[in-house]
Amino acid sequence: MRADHALPPAIAPADTGLLAPPGPPAAGYACGAVLGSLLDLIAGDPRRAHPVAAFGRAAAAAERLLWRDH
């Protein structure tokens, strides 16, 4: 019996039809980190209307509306 046989179709992962990006996954993370760092140097954080602060205000408003102490 060979140890390098393929998994049966019922156990094998489904083929999604998507192609894997070229290169190792670490290359994508490195490119993202470099691009993010460059964009941060160029644009920086906005002084007003920061997206994370807006999300926090929306979450707090939803909590006030939906969460009731019973």
Side-chain angles (χ1 to χ4, degrees):
M1 178 176 224
R2 292 178 33 189
D4 61 343
H5 62 280
L7 293 174
I11 300 174
D15 182 16
T16 61
L18 299 175
L19 297 176
Y29 295 126
C31 289
V34 169
L35 181 62
S37 296
L38 288 175
L39 287 174
D40 190 47
L41 284 174
I42 293 168
D45 286 337
R47 298 213 184 268
R48 297 177 51 128
H50 195 281
V52 176
F55 178 78
R57 285 190 300 273
E63 184 177 3
R64 281 191 303 272
L65 180 68
L66 300 173
W67 180 257
R68 304 269 190 239
D69 192 14
H70 295 284

